[in-house]
């Protein structure tokens, strides 16, 4: 059966983050905020720490361990890679400092008075099978979840499945199995099979999150979500408030 | 059952089993609705009293015509309203004064014509609420109940036959050809209702209502849009374990506006969420009217597929391959049979041209040895290598009237029944594919409901069967084919 482990005060944690953003007049949560929400609902995310300066960045690097990814934390910058605000494969303290200043520099170049919250220091997740889990509000049915394999499967082939919230175990299992590219999860070209149970758990978690915060959340993307033979890790996430 | 539902069902009983029907707007002009409905109500053999209402007429089809609902002197259970739009309101008031609890408004020119008609519908909606009267429509095309010989449509009554299936439609026109085609095939629609604009009574109400009717084993719905999606989900989910529900998708379903802020929103099309929803609540989804009838009946009549492996028996020719392809397209398997089973089959299928790999091709001998078909089918179904069986060409091949010099060969109906009954014996579905079967072929209901015309009718019915099994047991296991 499904084992979804929620943090004891999960509702409060989420409320706190949402109210915080609302106070600032923001509708789109930043990556680290969205990930904190997901973690509260039992979805493992790549370890992420917000650093406001070089010292904090170095402390974060020590805590998380190399290799790292660093990205700008700014409500103004949605497409971070395009803005030159992402650095990957960081494996030394010197690189951390260099990345920090590069990202800040590029952020300011992107927008003159950019709202800079700092730089997010993040575990660089190992390679896994990429999937996408999304949430949307359907006009007739309310919150619904979407599932698909990452990359061209979703972008080009539109090979996705949907279920209306709340989902049960059968719904989650069948929505995974109905996609045309399902065999990729079973393991192709020598790749090991992916942990379907982990995906089921994440779908149930997201369903619960969407249900509990139906009036406050309008959209969510967990993309990419990496699936391993044992477990899963959300590498990026975005939540849009009502 | 809630009190509200109880009252709804009691009132809807007056729609489907009324003691007395008033037709306001009955007419003597042929091809007018007022003429066709009155004529059909009479001709179908409805056992209750019919009260035509029209101040301009004295008599119609031998019946007394009343100038006003109030002048009838009795209170019919049901009133059909066929007057021009602007007169509907006063007629409703009359009905209410008379104590009529439910009406069917055929009149059009309301929200279905757009902005011009919308205000009239708003007015209509508040009126029925104020009068506490239930209304089907407006813009309803008709309804029928075969077991009551109640035909309030323009369809000739000889096509309205009893059967364990009800059809609810958001389009009146869809019901017409489906009724006739179904009746010819033996896939009878026993009860039908065109919802019209759903100003009051909705598709959800009718699903619940037909769902609690023990004579209804399967409900078909033709839907273009849902006003109350979650209500639909609740109604369907509660019924779907016991009753077969099949939805004919219209494809115009509008999921509504969404801010395209996220990836997910951009990808989610109109139909994705709706299709996923149907799977969650146990409703089978089909895309043609013929599939709706074939699939509903296959799910009502036959044991559900326990797995996706099908055996195919053909009398001869390439149809076995085509059928195999059709089944593969819907995700079903046509596995090669084991050496053991193949040699058992070879023992009885002695024709050299024959093949027993699966499909089993009997070698196109003429006349067809129907006893052999029975033996082969028994052998295959008895094994644990297939979960169901499709026989192709059977009816055509044994219909001597089609082939030169064979006019003396009749379809052996009893042997055909024996073959069809193998489903019940082995608890595995058996269907016959017969592209040239006469629509009005002879044979019992049992036979006619298991002989479909097209490969896709069979394929869709069987894949729906497997879906239903999985949904009912709450277990999903997809077959991975290499």
């Amino acid at each position: 059966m499904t084992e979804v482990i929620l943090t004891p005060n999960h509702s409060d944690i989420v409320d706190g983050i949402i109210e915080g953003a609302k106070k600032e007049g923001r509708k789109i949560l930043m990556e680290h905020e969205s990930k904190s929400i997901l973690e509260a609902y039992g979805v493992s995310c790549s370890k992420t720490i917000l650093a406001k300066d070089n010292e904090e960045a170095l402390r974060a690097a020590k805590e998380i361990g190399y290799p790292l990814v660093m990205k700008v934390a700014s409500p103004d910058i949605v497409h971070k890679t395009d803005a030159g605000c992402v650095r990957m494969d960081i494996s030394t303290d010197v690189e951390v400092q260099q990345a920090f200043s590069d990202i800040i520099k590029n952020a300011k170049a992107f927008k003159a008075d950019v709202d800079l919250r700092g730089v997010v220091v993040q575990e660089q997740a190992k390679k896994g099978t990429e999937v996408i889990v999304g949430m949307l509000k359907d006009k007739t049915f309310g919150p619904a979840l979407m599932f698909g394999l990452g990359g061209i499967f979703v972008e080009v082939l539109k090979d996705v499945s949907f279920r209306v919230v709340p989902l049960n175990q059968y719904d989650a299992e069948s929505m995974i199995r109905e996609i045309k590219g399902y065999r990729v999860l079973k393991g192709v070209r020598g790749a090991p099979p992916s942990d379907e149970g982990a995906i089921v758990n994440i779908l149930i978690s997201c369903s619960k999150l969407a249900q509990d915060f139906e009036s406050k959340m309008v959209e969510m993307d967990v993309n990419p979500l990496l699936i391993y033979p044992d477990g899963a890790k959300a590498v990026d996430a975005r939540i849009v408030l009502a | 059952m809630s009190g509200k539902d109880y009252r709804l069902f009691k009132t809807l009983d007056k729609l489907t089993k009324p003691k007395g029907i008033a037709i306001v707007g009955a007419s003597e002009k042929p091809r007018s609705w007022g003429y066709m409905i009155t004529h059909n109500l009479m001709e179908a053999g409805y056992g209750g009293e019919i009260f035509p209402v029209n101040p301009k007429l004295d008599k119609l089809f031998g019946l007394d015509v009343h100038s006003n609902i109030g002048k009838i002197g009795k209170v019919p259970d049901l009133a059909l309203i066929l007057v021009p739009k602007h007169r509907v309101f006063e007629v409703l008031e009359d009905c209410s004064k008379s104590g009529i609890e439910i009406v069917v408004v055929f009149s059009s020119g309301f929200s279905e014509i757009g902005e011009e008609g919308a205000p009239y519908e708003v007015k209509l909606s508040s009126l029925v609420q104020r009068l506490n009267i239930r209304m089907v429509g407006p813009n309803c095309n008709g309804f029928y109940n075969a077991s009551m010989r109640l035909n309030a449509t323009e369809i000739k009554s000889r096509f309205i036959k009893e059967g364990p299936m009800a059809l609810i439609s958001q389009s009146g026109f869809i019901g017409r050809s489906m009724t006739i085609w179904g009746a010819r095939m033996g896939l009878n629609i026993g009860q039908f209702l065109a919802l019209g604009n759903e100003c009051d009574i909705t598709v959800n109400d009718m699903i619940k209502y037909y769902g609690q009717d023990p004579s209804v084993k399967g409900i078909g719905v033709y839907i273009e849009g849902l006003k109350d999606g979650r209500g639909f989900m609740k109604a369907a989910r509660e019924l779907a374990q016991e009753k077969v529900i099949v939805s004919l998708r219209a494809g115009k379903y509008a999921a509504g506006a969404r801010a395209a802020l996220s990836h997910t929103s951009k990808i989610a099309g109109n139909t994705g969420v709706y299709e996923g929803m149907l799977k969650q609540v146990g409703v089978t989804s089909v895309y043609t009217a013929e599939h709706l009838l074939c699939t509903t009946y296959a799910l009502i009549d036959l044991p559900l597929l326990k797995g996706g492996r099908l055996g195919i028996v053909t009398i001869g020719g390439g149809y076995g391959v085509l059928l195999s392809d059709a089944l593969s397209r819907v995700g079903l398997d046509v596995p090669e049979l084991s050496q053991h089973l193949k040699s058992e089959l070879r023992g009885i299928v002695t024709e050299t041209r024959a093949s027993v790999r699966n499909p089993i091709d009997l070698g196109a001998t003429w006349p067809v040895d129907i006893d052999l078909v029975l033996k082969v089918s028994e052998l295959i179904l008895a094994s644990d290598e297939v979960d169901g069986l499709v026989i192709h060409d059977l009816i055509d091949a044994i219909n001597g009237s089609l082939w030169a010099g064979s006019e003396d060969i009749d379809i052996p109906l009893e042997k055909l029944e024996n073959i069809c009954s193998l489903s019940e014996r082995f608890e595995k579905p058996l269907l016959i594919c017969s592209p040239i079967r006469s629509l009005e072929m002879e044979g019992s209901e049992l036979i006619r409901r298991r002989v479909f015309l097209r490969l896709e009718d069979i394929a869709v019915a069987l894949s729906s069967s497997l879906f239903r099994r999985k949904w009912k047991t709450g277990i999903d296991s997809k077959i991975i084919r290499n």
Side-chain angles (χ1 to χ4, degrees):
Chain A
M1 278 318 285
T2 305
E3 258 187 64
V4 171
I5 301 159
L6 307 178
T7 309
N9 54 337
H10 54 272
S11 278
D12 293 334
I13 292 177
V14 178
D15 253 320
I17 295 173
I18 291 178
E19 292 311 312
K22 272 184 166 170
K23 269 204 203 84
E24 294 180 10
R26 280 189 292 124
K27 282 220 159 110
I28 303 180
L29 296 180
M30 290 182 282
E31 184 186 332
H32 61 281
E33 293 175 317
S34 301
K35 279 175 160 170
S36 298
I37 289 179
L38 286 172
E39 286 270 8
Y41 269 73
V43 180
S44 276
C45 299
S46 52
K47 198 153 157 72
T48 302
I49 299 175
L50 177 66
K52 295 203 195 62
D53 56 39
N54 244 328
E55 282 73 51
E56 287 190 6
L58 284 166
R59 271 202 299 277
K62 201 169 232 90
E63 193 182 319
I64 297 172
Y66 295 118
L68 293 171
V69 172
M70 288 171 65
K71 307 178 191 174
V72 71
S74 163
D76 293 338
I77 303 177
V78 172
H79 300 293
K80 301 166 222 156
T81 315
D82 296 347
C85 294
V86 176
R87 289 286 180 276
M88 296 180 52
D89 297 311
I90 297 162
S91 17
T92 69
D93 289 5
V94 171
E95 287 175 21
V96 169
Q97 292 171 306
Q98 186 64 57
F100 193 93
S101 62
D102 282 352
I103 288 171
I104 301 291
K105 190 167 73 140
N106 289 347
K108 290 182 176 162
F110 177 80
K111 190 172 181 242
D113 56 345
V114 67
D115 179 359
L116 260 182
R117 305 303 176 100
V119 171
V120 143
V121 180
Q122 193 177 94
E123 161 197 357
Q124 182 157 307
K126 290 195 215 28
K127 268 191 195 284
T129 307
E130 261 191 50
V131 304
I132 295 180
V133 170
M135 188 273 285
L136 63 129
K137 281 268 192 71
D138 181 274
K139 187 172 154 199
T140 307
F141 299 102
L145 294 187
M146 182 190 88
F147 172 77
L149 294 175
I152 60 158
F153 284 93
V154 164
E155 308 265 357
V156 177
L157 301 176
K158 311 244 193 288
D159 181 15
V160 292
S161 59
F162 296 90
R163 291 291 187 274
V164 174
V165 164
L167 275 65
N168 61 30
Q169 171 119 356
Y170 173 73
D171 297 334
E173 285 173 2
S174 58
M175 84 181 290
I176 296 169
R177 288 175 186 160
E178 89 186 28
I179 59 164
K180 295 193 192 74
Y182 171 63
R183 279 196 63 222
V184 170
L185 289 175
K186 286 298 212 200
V188 292
R189 293 187 173 182
S194 303
D195 186 351
E196 246 181 81
I199 307 177
V200 169
N201 287 355
I202 289 169
L203 287 168
I204 307 266
S205 289
C206 291
S207 170
K208 206 173 180 321
L209 175 61
Q211 197 178 15
D212 290 349
F213 290 92
E214 182 172 344
S215 54
K216 299 195 177 172
M217 283 172 45
V218 113
E219 270 163 20
M220 175 173 72
D221 275 338
V222 184
N223 175 24
L225 172 61
L226 297 183
I227 316 294
Y228 305 109
D230 182 15
K233 206 157 259 190
V235 168
D236 198 352
R238 178 154 66 159
I239 293 174
V240 178
L241 302 178
Chain B
M1 190 192 319
S2 70
K4 199 164 150 231
D5 278 350
Y6 178 78
R7 282 189 298 278
L8 172 69
F9 301 157
K10 276 260 161 283
T11 307
L12 286 172
D13 278 344
K14 297 191 173 181
L15 168 72
T16 61
K17 303 186 254 294
K19 297 188 201 59
I21 306 175
I23 310 169
V24 186
S27 166
E28 54 185 3
K29 289 192 222 118
R31 287 194 284 282
S32 71
W33 278 89
Y35 176 97
M36 295 192 291
I37 302 297
T38 313
H39 174 272
N40 276 353
L41 269 179
M42 291 210 55
E43 193 227 16
Y46 169 63
E49 287 186 86
I50 299 171
F51 307 103
V53 174
N54 184 337
K56 300 201 189 104
L57 294 175
D58 275 327
K59 277 229 184 279
L60 183 62
F61 305 129
L63 294 168
D64 288 328
V65 181
H66 310 266
S67 57
N68 187 288
I69 282 258
K71 293 280 189 344
I72 294 173
K74 296 187 189 174
V75 184
D77 270 355
L78 175 68
L80 310 183
I81 302 178
L82 294 98
V83 300
K85 162 168 84 191
H86 59 275
R87 291 202 47 227
V88 170
F89 306 93
E90 76 199 55
V91 171
L92 274 171
E93 300 263 9
D94 290 344
C95 288
S96 173
K97 277 194 206 94
S98 288
I100 294 172
E101 288 175 30
I102 180 163
V103 302
V104 177
V105 178
F106 286 72
S107 320
S108 59
F110 294 86
S111 68
E112 82 283 359
I113 61 168
E115 264 180 49
E116 220 189 290
Y120 289 96
E121 191 148 322
V122 171
K123 194 175 159 201
L124 193 60
S125 179
S126 9
L127 182 60
V128 297
Q129 281 183 58
R130 178 169 65 75
L131 297 175
N132 202 16
I133 198 171
R134 300 310 305 256
M135 172 180 70
V136 175
N139 190 36
C140 164
N141 276 65
F143 65 100
Y144 58 73
N145 183 353
S147 64
M148 285 283 296
R149 297 190 201 279
L150 170 53
N151 178 11
T153 70
E154 77 277 39
I155 308 166
K156 282 245 168 103
S157 304
R158 63 187 168 89
F159 295 110
I160 294 170
K161 300 183 182 174
E162 290 186 51
M165 175 181 166
L167 175 66
I168 307 164
S169 175
Q170 286 183 343
S171 153
F173 230 76
I174 289 273
R176 288 159 47 126
S177 50
M178 283 187 68
T179 298
I180 295 172
W181 190 80
R184 285 179 174 157
M185 283 284 290
L187 306 169
N188 304 337
I189 299 171
Q191 299 191 62
F192 166 74
L193 178 73
L195 292 159
N197 298 357
E198 284 183 272
C199 180
D200 177 27
I201 299 287
T202 65
V203 58
N204 298 347
D205 294 327
M206 293 313 296
I207 288 173
K208 286 193 284 190
Y209 177 71
Y210 286 134
Q212 53 88 54
D213 180 339
S215 74
V216 173
K217 306 276 188 282
I219 302 170
V221 280
Y222 171 78
I223 296 181
E224 287 171 357
L226 284 174
K227 286 182 193 172
D228 176 8
R230 298 214 77 117
F232 175 87
M233 288 180 72
K234 184 163 184 287
R237 204 198 297 260
E238 275 169 17
L239 288 170
Q241 280 284 347
E242 293 310 315
K243 307 262 168 161
V244 170
I245 308 178
V246 183
S247 150
L248 173 57
R249 295 283 333 278
K252 284 195 293 179
Y253 176 76
R258 272 188 217 112
L261 278 175
S262 79
H263 214 59
T264 306
S265 290
K266 288 195 197 96
I267 288 155
N270 284 344
T271 63
V273 176
Y274 186 77
E275 298 216 6
M277 179 281 297
L278 290 177
K279 287 177 192 152
Q280 277 173 279
V281 299
V283 172
T284 305
S285 200
V286 298
Y287 298 88
T288 76
E290 293 82 6
H291 290 171
L292 180 62
L293 290 173
C294 294
T295 299
T296 305
Y297 265 99
L299 295 179
I300 292 172
D301 283 348
L302 301 170
L304 297 176
L305 275 175
K306 292 192 179 74
R309 303 163 306 166
L310 274 306
I312 298 175
V313 174
T314 72
I315 308 306
Y319 266 115
V321 180
L322 290 177
L323 186 48
S324 187
D325 286 347
L327 292 171
S328 298
R329 274 197 293 274
V330 295
L332 296 171
D333 274 338
V334 182
E336 174 148 3
L337 302 179
S338 68
Q339 277 305 117
H340 174 74
L341 187 52
K342 280 194 284 197
S343 45
E344 272 194 290
L345 285 166
R346 263 284 165 219
I348 55 174
V349 181
T350 51
E351 172 58 45
T352 37
R353 273 197 310 256
S355 152
V356 296
R357 301 179 65 182
N358 192 19
I360 288 84
D361 173 350
L362 295 179
T365 57
W366 183 254
V368 169
D369 182 351
I370 194 170
D371 294 319
L372 179 62
V373 175
L374 178 67
K375 284 202 204 82
V376 166
S377 304
E378 274 177 327
L379 245 179
I380 297 170
L381 285 172
S383 83
D384 57 8
E385 294 180 38
V386 303
D387 304 298
L389 187 68
V390 184
I391 306 176
H392 201 284
D393 293 320
L394 183 58
I395 309 298
D396 318 330
I398 59 180
N399 183 355
S401 67
L402 299 174
W403 315 113
S406 308
E407 293 79 3
D408 57 311
I409 298 176
D410 281 326
I411 298 178
L413 292 174
E414 205 189 291
K415 297 196 176 181
L416 202 45
E417 279 230 17
N418 292 343
I419 291 178
C420 290
S421 311
L422 291 177
S423 273
E424 280 71 23
R425 223 173 97 195
F426 292 101
E427 288 271 302
K428 295 179 178 180
L430 185 156
L431 284 170
I432 298 173
C433 186
S434 173
I436 50 179
R437 117 176 207 179
S438 161
L439 287 183
E440 271 131 341
M441 67 175 270
E442 277 174 33
S444 65
E445 262 180 16
L446 179 80
I447 298 172
R448 295 177 68 212
R449 275 151 52 161
R450 301 179 191 204
V451 180
F452 296 162
L453 295 170
R454 288 171 282 233
L455 306 172
E456 305 297 344
D457 297 339
I458 303 266
V460 168
L462 288 172
S463 81
S464 300
S465 181
L466 187 59
F467 157 76
R468 183 158 172 73
R469 163 80 62 181
K470 286 185 195 170
W471 184 84
K472 284 184 83 162
T473 54
I475 297 165
D476 188 291
S477 56
K478 182 168 165 158
I479 298 144
I480 303 295
R481 275 166 287 128
N482 292 319

